[in-house]
Amino acid sequence: MDKDNHMLKILEGFRSQCEEAYKLSRKIKVKGSFKNAVVCGMGGSGIAGHLIKAFEKKIPIYVHNDYGVPDVVNNKSLVIVISYSGNTEETLSAYSEAKKKKAKIVSITSGGNLAEKDKDALIVPPDLPPRAAMGYLFISALVAMARAKIISDQDTAIREAVKGLVSKTCSREGFMLAKKMNNKIPVFYGSEEMRGVVYRMKCQINENAKQPAFYNVFPEMDHNEINGFKKQGKKMISVFLMNNKDNIAVKKRMDITKRLIKEQTNTAEIQVKGKNHLAKMLRTIYVGDFASYYLSLMNKEDPTPVPLISKLKERLKR
Ligand code: F6R
């Protein structure tokens, strides 16, 4: 078990992590005019790209969770390469390919091979599980995008968002959600703008609570998944992210969908709160992170280690 409450301590420090990330990211300087941008990274590092996709952008932004880089990359591309350990093979391959294609690269890492290869990498503090360093990685990448003028300036949004990361209230909301999810398989639903957030919530349940979890978004789920609860649905719980800023058509769909599936499955809601979109995303992630932590305790699992991810990485080296 998480004897020294390692993960809990990290979670309680999330607000300071985001504040520190914002200070650190002042070092990022990205000059140039770009035709497209790509965020490369896997798992807990790659999530930053999915979150950035939700921002209004001036040029196309691609998220790449694979080896190499997408075909669109050339000397007019900004490629943000994120690997917390600095040793993830897919991400290192992305770095090499982006370099070959003469793209402008911003690397974000705590060390490892990526820091060796890119002497200009932004170095974030080490010794965290990568997924628990999301504040460092995502805020740095977001600031890099803003500095490159691909998204609008985020300084005010970040300062406001950080204020909403109140550990006590988010922990309480996370605990309540964990109680509802206990002994069930959660599926997280939100609008397209919340895609990165529901994906993060699913991954945190997988890695921290060591159990299955899924996600999908509206309106797509209304065209397939809505019909899939009649059999086995009682083993699951659909968690809806309710955001009063969502498109009115999406809100209507969510309400009707919830009512239609209620007989066949369990449902729960999370109210998305925050002064701006970033604040909403970060606060909801924070509640989800706490929920995954409490669910790990209910599952009698240590939230911190990810033995199968580690074993797989070891075997790939042989
Ligand atoms: C572990 C975790 C993983 C890693 C992934 C990539 O906490 O979250 O999803 O993030 O295996 O490794 P890094 O982030 O070191 O590039």
Side-chain angles (χ1 to χ4, degrees), residues 1-11 293 296-297 300-305:
M1 284 296 291
D2 194 26
K3 286 188 202 76
D4 57 355
N5 277 332
H6 183 54
M7 188 59 87
L8 181 61
K9 280 189 192 135
I10 301 172
L11 277 179
Y293 168 76
S296 78
L297 301 188
K300 300 195 171 27
E301 290 290 338
D302 185 340
T304 306

Side-chain angles (χ1 to χ4, degrees), residues 2 4-19 128 132 162 165-172 286 289-290 293-294:
D2 194 26
D4 57 355
N5 277 332
H6 183 54
M7 188 59 87
L8 181 61
K9 280 189 192 135
I10 301 172
L11 277 179
E12 286 171 348
F14 184 54
R15 180 179 174 155
S16 344
Q17 180 183 134
C18 291
E19 284 166 347
L128 291 168
V162 161
L165 301 175
V166 181
S167 138
K168 234 183 179 169
T169 45
C170 293
S171 167
R172 201 178 317 122
Y286 200 23
D289 282 7
F290 271 119
Y293 168 76
Y294 288 118

Side-chain angles (χ1 to χ4, degrees), residues 42-45 83-85 88 129-131 207 309 313:
M42 306 304 297
S45 293
S83 170
Y84 184 73
S85 62
T88 299
R131 62 193 182 283
E207 291 185 65
I309 298 177
K313 287 183 180 178

